[in-house]
Amino acid sequence: MVKKLPPALASCDVPAIWLSHKKELYNYIFKRVKDRELAEDILQEVLLKVYNFCLSKSGVRNLRSWLFQIAQNTIMDHYRKSSKFQDRDIPDVAAEEENMAFKEAVNFIEPMLGFLPEEYAVPLKMADIDGLKQAEIACKLGLSLPATKSRIQRARQLLKAEFITCCNFETDAQGNLVSFDIKATCAPLISYRKKNF
C-alpha cells in the first residue's frame, strides 16, 4: 500500500512546511532547553533534517507529529554530543511530555466509544475512562462480574477495530505510537476534530 504524503511533503515545499510550523517548533524546543540561542541552533538542525527528508522522499503520515519527533530527537542528540552536559542534565522529554502522537490519539477515544453498541461502550467507559472497578460496574449495570469482564474485553477489541478502520497510525520497534492521523474516510472523527481542535 502506498503512503499518501501531506501536500507540502508530497511536493517537498520546505518553505511552506517551515512557515506553518516554525514558531510552534521553536517554542517546543525553547521550553526544553531554556536558551534562545541554543533553541535557534536546534531549530536550524531540524530544518536541515526536513530538507534532507524531502530529498530522500521518505513516507510520513502525520506531518505535525513527525516534525515534533524530529525536534525531540534533535534536542536529545544535542545533549548527547555536548561534553559540558552530564547525563543528569539531559531533559527527560519522555517523562515531561508523553509522546505527542499518543496524546493526540487519546483525544479521540471517547468519541469513538460512540461507534460501539451501548452495551459495550458503557462498561468500557466506566472501566477505562472513569476508573471504576469491574465489581462496581457490574453492580451499577446489574450484571454478573464475569459478564461485565467479558463485555469490557469485547469492547476493547471493538474499539481497537474502530481505530484500525478510522485512523492511520505507526508504531516503533517497542510498540510506542509515533504517528497518528484520522483517515479522510472517517467523517465522524473528522467532524469531531474540526469542532473541538
Side-chain angles (χ1 to χ4, degrees), residues 55-179:
L55 290 180
S56 72
K57 296 270 192 176
S58 300
V60 156
R61 289 180 192 254
N62 186 317
L63 176 61
R64 187 175 182 278
S65 293
W66 176 76
L67 285 170
F68 281 90
Q69 195 66 50
I70 288 178
Q72 179 176 319
N73 293 344
T74 306
I75 291 166
M76 298 309 290
D77 290 348
H78 167 77
Y79 279 104
R80 285 189 191 104
K81 283 188 232 169
S82 179
S83 58
K84 66 181 181 178
F85 292 102
Q86 302 296 319
D87 281 346
R88 67 179 182 276
D89 297 325
I90 299 175
D92 188 350
V93 178
E96 179 188 330
E97 185 169 322
E98 291 174 31
N99 180 285
M100 293 189 69
F102 177 78
K103 287 176 79 174
E104 190 175 350
V106 165
N107 291 322
F108 297 96
I109 290 175
E110 217 167 328
M112 288 186 80
L113 285 174
F115 296 1
L116 307 184
E118 192 174 336
E119 66 189 276
Y120 296 112
V122 171
L124 182 60
K125 180 181 184 300
M126 292 170 86
D128 290 357
I129 295 177
D130 301 336
L132 299 178
K133 293 186 190 301
Q134 292 185 351
E136 192 177 348
I137 297 166
C139 185
K140 286 188 178 215
L141 297 178
L143 298 169
S144 68
L145 185 56
T148 302
K149 288 181 176 181
S150 175
R151 284 193 188 185
I152 291 169
Q153 198 170 28
R154 177 72 179 130
R156 287 179 180 144
Q157 292 168 350
L158 291 171
L159 187 64
K160 182 180 178 182
E162 289 295 342
F163 258 99
I164 291 168
T165 301
C166 282
C167 307
N168 290 314
F169 52 90
E170 297 174 35
T171 56
D172 62 16
Q174 290 76 43
N176 300 312
L177 191 65
V178 293
S179 176

Side-chain angles (χ1 to χ4, degrees), residues 173-190:
Q174 290 76 43
N176 300 312
L177 191 65
V178 293
S179 176
F180 168 84
D181 200 13
I182 298 166
K183 291 180 181 175
T185 54
C186 191
L189 283 192
I190 296 279

